[in-house]
Amino acid sequence: MQVARHVVCALSGGVDSAVAALLLKRRGYQVTGVFMKNWDSLDEHGVCTADRDCEDAYRVCQILDIPFHQVSYVKEYWNDVFSDFLSEYEKGRTPNPDIVCNKHIKFSCFFHYAVDNLGADAVATGHYARTSLEDEEVFQQKRIKRPGGLFRDRFEVRNAVKLLQAADSFKDQTFFLSQVSQDALRRTLFPLGGLTKDFVKKIAAENRLHHVLQKKESMGICFVGKRNFENFILQAPRTDHPALYRDLLRTSRVHWIAEEPPAALVRDKMMECHFRFRHQMALVPCVLTLNQDGTVWVTAVKAVRALAPGQFAVFYKGDECLGSGKILRLGPSAYILQKGKSKSRVSTEGPSDGPGSGPGLGPTL
């Protein structure tokens, strides 16, 4: 008789991760629940919200009759996520700590703890996302010892696992997973990837998980509190001024989920795809231009509103999330371009005294 596969599921104290653990147990896996404490914060009544979430996660484990563990990554969160958050703000940028948290905490610290300390065959989370691997393929993955250099052996045969959007397009969370490593993704299950939020709530209600159903939806980062961080950032006056619209940006070195750029982009140095820089915003058609240092220029088919340095540009091809890069530089706004066109119409005599580069700053950085 085959020993049950051991899956360690991250539990937040919310409904999504609770149902993820339930579904894993239903599949016959040996499931362990782990609550990560990443931040110490108090609500308006002076109660530590992390402690309350931990209690809810523990109760989920009691109901499901699975082992429970708690780990603290407060120090790691401060060093790898919050310090970056503060640094970005000091530079006048708009950071996205949720993406950074998934990269450094959930899919690095937690992943290694689950595999190395708890002996997990795979990890799982309540994210609405899918991968290209079936469950059994995930369990067949082995930890690969990487060479110390920057590049893998070019002759190494390795089919990269793809990160795919969830069936519930509104709840899809691949945006937040766009910096996750290939190694972690190869051994991760997303039990909610094919479900809608409403169906997840129905499962919770039918399986004595009412205590997590009654909680408010957690949309934001913990140190801002239970708030929608994007709405928090965007509570500037809403306006459609052309100064807010741009169609060109440059990213940092892109983190490709497959570890290397798509073959078409390497071959042609340009590729059509889509991108978004906020969760749940409509995908924007664009053209990527690959630079020698691994950064990319992103040219949107039409100008988009409220681009800001520090945000992540997340790239998609069909259902596949290709990866992401942090926005470091923006092209001229539609307002500047309009002013430039007006000036060129007025001054028809001789060349201008100003810099001739104008909007063509393109790949000359």
Side-chain angles (χ1 to χ4, degrees), residues 3-17:
V3 177
R5 305 289 195 179
H6 183 201
V7 182
V8 175
C9 185
L11 293 177
S12 65
V15 64
D16 293 330
S17 60

Side-chain angles (χ1 to χ4, degrees), residues 16 37 78 98 108 126 134 148 182 213 236 285 310 326 343 352:
D16 293 330
K37 184 175 183 180
W78 179 274
D98 290 310
S108 183
E134 298 293 335
Q182 177 73 193
L213 264 178
K326 186 179 289 187
K343 284 184 179 178
S352 168

Side-chain angles (χ1 to χ4, degrees), residues 122-174:
V123 301
T125 71
H127 286 102
Y128 287 82
R130 297 178 296 127
T131 75
S132 55
L133 297 180
E134 298 293 335
D135 284 14
E136 199 52 41
E137 293 177 293
V138 172
F139 294 122
Q140 292 168 2
Q141 303 300 316
K142 301 296 181 186
R143 177 72 67 81
I144 297 175
K145 191 79 174 177
R146 289 313 182 83
L150 289 175
F151 300 100
R152 294 205 323 269
D153 181 350
R154 290 291 174 180
F155 297 100
E156 179 187 343
V157 178
R158 192 162 186 250
N159 294 321
V161 59
K162 296 178 179 179
L163 177 62
L164 306 174
Q165 293 189 78
D168 187 337
S169 58
F170 182 74
K171 284 298 296 180
D172 173 65
Q173 292 174 306
T174 53

Side-chain angles (χ1 to χ4, degrees), residues 32-334:
T32 298
V34 174
F35 176 82
M36 286 170 271
K37 184 175 183 180
N38 300 330
W39 191 260
D40 292 310
S41 61
L42 304 179
D43 64 11
E44 61 272 19
H45 303 296
V47 177
C48 181
T49 53
D51 289 345
R52 189 163 53 202
D53 289 338
C54 184
E55 289 173 10
D56 289 335
Y58 175 64
R59 192 171 164 197
V60 167
C61 289
Q62 287 183 309
I63 293 170
L64 299 183
D65 192 24
I66 61 175
F68 172 80
H69 292 263
Q70 179 185 359
V71 289
S72 174
Y73 295 127
V74 172
K75 183 178 73 173
E76 291 84 353
Y77 194 93
W78 179 274
N79 292 335
D80 295 329
V81 182
F82 192 57
S83 293
D84 174 76
F85 178 86
L86 294 178
S87 174
E88 289 291 279
Y89 261 123
E90 287 174 356
K91 294 172 184 173
R93 296 177 179 170
T94 305
N96 192 310
D98 290 310
I99 291 178
V100 180
C101 178
N102 279 326
K103 178 177 184 175
H104 292 293
I105 308 299
K106 293 180 183 172
F107 290 89
S108 183
C109 295
F110 163 71
F111 173 75
H112 291 299
Y113 170 77
V115 172
D116 299 334
N117 292 52
L118 300 181
D121 295 308
V123 301
T125 71
H127 286 102
Y128 287 82
R130 297 178 296 127
T131 75
S132 55
L133 297 180
E134 298 293 335
D135 284 14
E136 199 52 41
E137 293 177 293
V138 172
F139 294 122
Q140 292 168 2
Q141 303 300 316
K142 301 296 181 186
R143 177 72 67 81
I144 297 175
K145 191 79 174 177
R146 289 313 182 83
L150 289 175
F151 300 100
R152 294 205 323 269
D153 181 350
R154 290 291 174 180
F155 297 100
E156 179 187 343
V157 178
R158 192 162 186 250
N159 294 321
V161 59
K162 296 178 179 179
L163 177 62
L164 306 174
Q165 293 189 78
D168 187 337
S169 58
F170 182 74
K171 284 298 296 180
D172 173 65
Q173 292 174 306
T174 53
F175 178 86
F176 299 116
L177 301 171
S178 61
Q179 288 273 315
V180 171
S181 73
Q182 177 73 193
D183 284 344
L185 199 61
R186 293 181 82 85
R187 298 184 68 174
T188 299
L189 301 174
F190 297 114
L192 308 188
L195 307 179
T196 64
K197 180 73 175 191
D198 287 342
F199 191 58
V200 167
K201 290 180 177 179
K202 184 173 183 288
I203 294 173
E206 293 173 350
N207 288 275
R208 300 182 298 136
L209 295 170
H210 297 91
H211 72 289
V212 291
L213 264 178
Q214 294 162 0
K215 298 179 70 170
K216 289 183 179 178
E217 188 79 3
S218 174
M219 290 290 287
I221 50 179
C222 40
F223 57 83
V224 177
K226 304 298 184 183
R227 303 178 179 89
N228 185 315
F229 183 65
E230 291 167 9
N231 288 343
F232 171 77
I233 286 294
L234 291 173
Q235 285 165 8
R238 295 196 63 85
T239 172
D240 286 328
H241 194 279
L244 295 176
Y245 286 82
R246 286 175 166 82
D247 63 4
L248 180 67
L249 64 93
R250 185 171 184 167
T251 71
S252 62
R253 185 180 182 88
V254 174
H255 170 83
W256 301 105
I257 296 292
E259 296 185 331
E260 295 178 356
L265 183 57
V266 173
R267 183 185 65 241
D268 303 329
K269 302 301 183 227
M270 299 180 74
M271 183 183 78
E272 293 182 355
C273 65
H274 290 77
F275 85 106
R276 61 166 53 108
F277 54 94
R278 289 197 309 273
H279 176 48
Q280 294 181 336
M281 72 172 283
L283 286 169
V284 179
C286 67
V287 175
L288 302 187
T289 304
L290 181 64
N291 301 310
Q292 286 188 338
D293 60 359
T295 65
V296 298
W297 284 98
V298 183
T299 306
V301 170
K302 63 177 183 178
V304 290
R305 182 185 181 277
L307 278 170
Q311 295 171 315
F312 283 87
V314 182
F315 307 116
Y316 293 84
K317 193 80 171 176
D319 279 347
E320 183 181 359
C321 176
L322 300 174
S324 63
K326 186 179 289 187
I327 299 173
L328 296 185
R329 182 174 175 183
L330 303 178
S333 69

